Amino acid sequence: MEHQTIVKTYRENKGIFKLIPVFVPRPFSTPGYRLRLHPDDYFAFGTKRGAIKERWFSSTIKCNNGPLAMEDEGLSYVAFGPEAEDKFLFKDAVEVLGASLIGEDMMERYGTWPMYSKFFDYDVPLFHHLHLGFNDAAKVGVLGKPEAYYYPPQYNNYPGNMPVTYFGFDPDCSKAEVRKRLA
Protein backbone atom coordinates (compact mmCIF):
# COMPACT_ATOMS: atom_id res chain seq x y z
CA MET A 1 0.00 0.00 0.00
CA GLU A 2 2.60 2.57 1.08
CA HIS A 3 4.90 1.82 -1.89
CA GLN A 4 2.01 2.47 -4.30
CA THR A 5 1.04 5.65 -2.43
CA ILE A 6 4.60 6.99 -2.66
CA VAL A 7 4.88 6.32 -6.40
CA LYS A 8 1.39 7.71 -7.07
CA THR A 9 2.09 10.90 -5.07
CA TYR A 10 5.42 11.38 -6.84
CA ARG A 11 3.85 11.01 -10.29
CA GLU A 12 0.73 13.06 -9.63
CA ASN A 13 2.76 15.95 -8.19
CA LYS A 14 5.47 15.77 -10.88
CA GLY A 15 8.20 15.00 -8.35
CA ILE A 16 7.25 17.69 -5.86
CA PHE A 17 6.46 16.60 -2.30
CA LYS A 18 4.60 18.64 0.30
CA LEU A 19 6.67 18.17 3.47
CA ILE A 20 4.99 18.52 6.85
CA PRO A 21 6.90 20.81 9.27
CA VAL A 22 9.20 18.99 11.70
CA PHE A 23 9.68 20.68 15.06
CA VAL A 24 12.41 19.41 17.39
CA PRO A 25 12.57 20.04 21.15
CA ARG A 26 15.90 20.41 22.92
CA PRO A 27 16.40 20.18 26.70
CA PHE A 28 19.17 22.81 26.77
CA SER A 29 19.09 26.58 26.35
CA THR A 30 16.07 28.83 25.96
CA PRO A 31 13.96 29.33 22.84
CA GLY A 32 14.04 32.58 20.92
CA TYR A 33 10.31 32.36 20.10
CA ARG A 34 10.84 33.14 16.40
CA LEU A 35 9.55 29.91 14.83
CA ARG A 36 6.09 31.43 14.51
CA LEU A 37 4.53 28.81 16.76
CA HIS A 38 1.68 29.60 19.11
CA PRO A 39 3.24 30.43 22.53
CA ASP A 40 1.50 27.39 24.07
CA ASP A 41 3.18 25.05 21.57
CA TYR A 42 6.83 25.63 22.47
CA PHE A 43 6.62 22.91 25.15
CA ALA A 44 4.29 20.63 23.14
CA PHE A 45 6.37 17.55 24.02
CA GLY A 46 6.39 18.33 27.75
CA THR A 47 8.77 20.29 29.94
CA LYS A 48 11.08 17.29 30.44
CA ARG A 49 11.77 17.32 26.70
CA GLY A 50 12.55 21.03 26.64
CA ALA A 51 11.20 23.70 24.35
CA ILE A 52 10.98 23.46 20.58
CA LYS A 53 14.03 25.30 19.28
CA GLU A 54 14.59 23.78 15.84
CA ARG A 55 12.63 23.19 12.65
CA TRP A 56 14.07 20.59 10.29
CA PHE A 57 13.49 20.33 6.53
CA SER A 58 13.74 17.25 4.27
CA SER A 59 15.17 15.01 6.99
CA THR A 60 15.69 11.27 6.64
CA ILE A 61 17.74 11.29 9.83
CA LYS A 62 16.31 10.57 13.28
CA CYS A 63 17.04 13.13 15.95
CA ASN A 64 19.38 11.69 18.56
CA ASN A 65 17.48 13.29 21.40
CA GLY A 66 17.82 10.76 24.23
CA PRO A 67 15.56 8.06 25.66
CA LEU A 68 12.43 10.23 25.71
CA ALA A 69 12.61 10.95 21.96
CA MET A 70 9.76 9.70 19.82
CA GLU A 71 10.47 6.90 17.33
CA ASP A 72 10.10 9.27 14.36
CA GLU A 73 11.57 12.39 15.97
CA GLY A 74 13.30 14.56 13.39
CA LEU A 75 12.04 12.60 10.38
CA SER A 76 10.16 14.48 7.67
CA TYR A 77 6.75 13.32 6.50
CA VAL A 78 5.17 13.88 3.08
CA ALA A 79 1.48 14.86 3.03
CA PHE A 80 -0.52 13.24 0.23
CA GLY A 81 -4.14 13.88 1.16
CA PRO A 82 -6.52 16.05 3.17
CA GLU A 83 -6.43 14.04 6.43
CA ALA A 84 -3.67 14.25 9.05
CA GLU A 85 -3.12 10.48 8.64
CA ASP A 86 -2.49 10.89 4.90
CA LYS A 87 1.27 10.93 5.16
CA PHE A 88 4.37 8.81 4.64
CA LEU A 89 8.00 9.25 5.67
CA PHE A 90 10.25 11.14 3.28
CA LYS A 91 12.86 8.50 4.20
CA ASP A 92 10.56 5.80 2.79
CA ALA A 93 10.09 7.84 -0.38
CA VAL A 94 13.86 7.99 -0.84
CA GLU A 95 14.10 4.22 -0.35
CA VAL A 96 11.25 3.51 -2.82
CA LEU A 97 12.10 6.08 -5.50
CA GLY A 98 15.88 6.11 -5.12
CA ALA A 99 17.79 7.86 -7.88
CA SER A 100 14.63 9.09 -9.61
CA LEU A 101 14.06 11.29 -6.56
CA ILE A 102 17.56 12.23 -5.38
CA GLY A 103 19.79 11.47 -8.37
CA GLU A 104 22.31 8.78 -9.25
CA ASP A 105 25.23 10.51 -7.55
CA MET A 106 23.53 10.71 -4.15
CA MET A 107 22.33 7.11 -4.35
CA GLU A 108 25.76 5.80 -5.36
CA ARG A 109 27.62 7.88 -2.82
CA TYR A 110 25.34 7.69 0.23
CA GLY A 111 22.46 5.33 -0.54
CA THR A 112 20.06 7.89 0.87
CA TRP A 113 19.38 11.62 1.18
CA PRO A 114 22.13 12.48 3.71
CA MET A 115 21.33 16.11 4.42
CA TYR A 116 18.69 18.45 5.71
CA SER A 117 18.29 22.08 6.64
CA LYS A 118 17.33 23.56 9.98
CA PHE A 119 16.00 26.76 11.40
CA PHE A 120 17.56 27.34 14.79
CA ASP A 121 15.65 29.35 17.37
CA TYR A 122 17.91 29.73 20.38
CA ASP A 123 17.73 32.89 22.45
CA VAL A 124 21.46 32.86 23.21
CA PRO A 125 24.42 31.71 21.10
CA LEU A 126 24.47 28.01 20.31
CA PHE A 127 27.39 26.40 22.12
CA HIS A 128 30.33 25.09 20.15
CA HIS A 129 29.91 21.44 19.28
CA LEU A 130 31.29 18.97 16.80
CA HIS A 131 29.78 16.65 14.21
CA LEU A 132 31.82 14.01 12.43
CA GLY A 133 32.50 14.25 8.72
CA PHE A 134 31.52 11.33 6.47
CA ASN A 135 34.89 9.52 6.63
CA ASP A 136 35.18 9.66 10.42
CA ALA A 137 31.52 8.80 10.95
CA ALA A 138 31.85 5.73 8.70
CA LYS A 139 34.37 4.31 11.19
CA VAL A 140 31.57 4.05 13.75
CA GLY A 141 28.87 3.00 11.27
CA VAL A 142 26.92 6.24 10.87
CA LEU A 143 26.63 8.99 8.28
CA GLY A 144 28.59 12.18 8.72
CA LYS A 145 26.87 15.42 9.54
CA PRO A 146 28.58 18.40 7.96
CA GLU A 147 26.95 21.57 9.20
CA ALA A 148 27.07 25.26 8.51
CA TYR A 149 24.93 27.93 10.12
CA TYR A 150 23.18 30.88 8.56
CA TYR A 151 20.85 33.21 10.40
CA PRO A 152 18.68 34.89 7.74
CA PRO A 153 17.83 38.48 8.66
CA GLN A 154 14.86 38.34 6.30
CA TYR A 155 13.05 35.63 8.27
CA ASN A 156 12.12 37.80 11.19
CA ASN A 157 12.34 41.40 12.28
CA TYR A 158 13.64 40.33 15.71
CA PRO A 159 16.99 38.50 15.70
CA GLY A 160 16.93 37.54 19.40
CA ASN A 161 19.55 38.53 21.90
CA MET A 162 22.49 37.23 19.89
CA PRO A 163 21.77 35.30 16.64
CA VAL A 164 25.23 33.75 16.30
CA THR A 165 27.22 30.75 17.39
CA TYR A 166 30.68 31.07 18.81
CA PHE A 167 33.92 29.20 19.27
CA GLY A 168 35.34 29.29 22.75
CA PHE A 169 33.98 29.52 26.24
CA ASP A 170 31.06 31.41 27.66
CA PRO A 171 32.47 34.38 29.59
CA ASP A 172 30.81 33.04 32.75
CA CYS A 173 32.88 29.82 32.57
CA SER A 174 35.83 29.86 34.98
CA LYS A 175 39.24 28.23 34.52
CA ALA A 176 38.43 26.00 37.51
CA GLU A 177 35.28 24.70 35.72
CA VAL A 178 37.30 23.92 32.60
CA ARG A 179 39.93 22.03 34.64
CA LYS A 180 37.21 20.10 36.46
CA ARG A 181 35.53 19.03 33.19
CA LEU A 182 38.83 18.05 31.60
CA ALA A 183 39.76 15.95 34.65
Side-chain angles (χ1 to χ4, degrees):
M1 160 73 176
E2 188 164 287
H3 182 279
Q4 292 172 339
T5 302
I6 290 170
V7 172
K8 181 177 183 239
T9 304
Y10 179 74
R11 287 183 181 150
E12 286 180 357
N13 295 299
K14 299 179 178 130
I16 297 172
F17 284 143
K18 180 180 178 184
L19 296 175
I20 298 169
V22 178
F23 294 102
V24 176
R26 296 295 192 180
F28 50 81
S29 195
T30 53
Y33 296 99
R34 295 179 303 270
L35 288 178
R36 298 182 179 162
L37 293 172
H38 186 280
D40 294 344
D41 291 338
Y42 277 89
F43 288 90
F45 299 98
T47 55
K48 285 186 179 182
R49 299 295 318 283
I52 292 173
K53 298 179 198 85
E54 298 179 10
R55 180 175 174 189
W56 292 15
F57 302 87
S58 67
S59 172
T60 62
I61 301 165
K62 282 186 183 181
C63 180
N64 186 3
N65 228 358
L68 298 177
M70 295 175 293
E71 184 64 28
D72 61 352
E73 194 157 310
L75 294 173
S76 291
Y77 278 91
V78 176
F80 66 87
E83 304 299 324
E85 305 83 41
D86 295 342
K87 64 183 180 179
F88 54 82
L89 285 170
F90 178 59
K91 180 181 191 309
D92 292 343
V94 172
E95 289 171 11
V96 169
L97 299 167
S100 63
L101 179 63
I102 65 171
E104 291 290 336
D105 187 50
M106 289 296 231
M107 282 306 293
E108 286 178 26
R109 215 182 260 195
Y110 306 108
T112 188
W113 179 253
M115 64 190 103
Y116 54 99
S117 299
K118 300 178 184 180
F119 277 158
F120 284 141
D121 187 33
Y122 293 89
D123 192 42
V124 296
L126 185 60
F127 54 85
H128 176 70
H129 59 289
L130 176 75
H131 295 287
L132 297 174
F134 286 103
N135 292 337
D136 293 321
K139 295 174 186 173
V140 292
V142 297
L143 283 174
K145 190 177 174 190
E147 283 195 5
Y149 302 130
Y150 174 65
Y151 299 86
Q154 304 87 346
Y155 186 67
N156 224 297
N157 63 355
Y158 171 67
N161 290 327
M162 198 172 192
V164 298
T165 191
Y166 57 88
F167 184 82
F169 295 102
D170 185 292
D172 295 333
C173 182
S174 70
K175 286 183 181 180
E177 287 176 296
V178 173
R179 286 187 183 107
K180 181 180 174 183
R181 297 283 186 227
L182 289 173

